[in-house]
Amino acid sequence: MNRSEIYSRVRNIFADLFLVDDITLDDSTAADQVEGWDSLTHINLIIAVESAFGFKFDLGELEKFKAVGDLVDAIERHLQ
């Protein structure tokens, strides 16, 4: 799966979670740029991503997520 395909799946997860059909994401998109992205939705986002891609992040990875690009980078590493 390439980065574009990962982004497509992550975008669908965001759309479902934040109830926004046309959400725009890029590597620099951070929580303060997405309405409703608080600590609780962040946990739900991580659970949804883990379920969709079939793996679990370790704590060290979770602490490094500052923007969507960090999340997508971690997904890429897990899928290699």
Side-chain angles (χ1 to χ4, degrees):
M1 181 177 297
N2 65 35
R3 192 170 181 86
S4 177
E5 292 167 330
I6 293 170
Y7 252 102
S8 177
R9 291 180 69 177
V10 168
R11 192 172 294 109
N12 288 338
I13 292 167
F14 269 78
D16 288 344
L17 188 62
F18 295 99
L19 305 175
V20 179
D21 291 334
D22 60 346
I23 193 162
T24 301
L25 301 173
D26 61 33
D27 284 350
S28 65
T29 303
D32 62 347
Q33 297 169 305
V34 178
E35 185 174 336
W37 190 351
D38 56 20
S39 58
L40 179 58
T41 54
H42 185 78
I43 292 168
N44 290 331
L45 172 65
I46 296 303
I47 292 169
V49 168
E50 288 175 336
S51 176
F53 289 94
F55 61 81
K56 297 250 184 226
F57 295 111
D58 64 41
L59 184 58
E61 289 175 306
L62 295 174
E63 293 174 345
K64 294 177 184 173
F65 294 164
K66 304 296 182 213
V68 171
D70 301 323
L71 175 65
V72 172
D73 290 346
I75 294 168
E76 281 185 307
R77 284 192 300 274
H78 278 272
L79 296 179
Q80 291 178 351

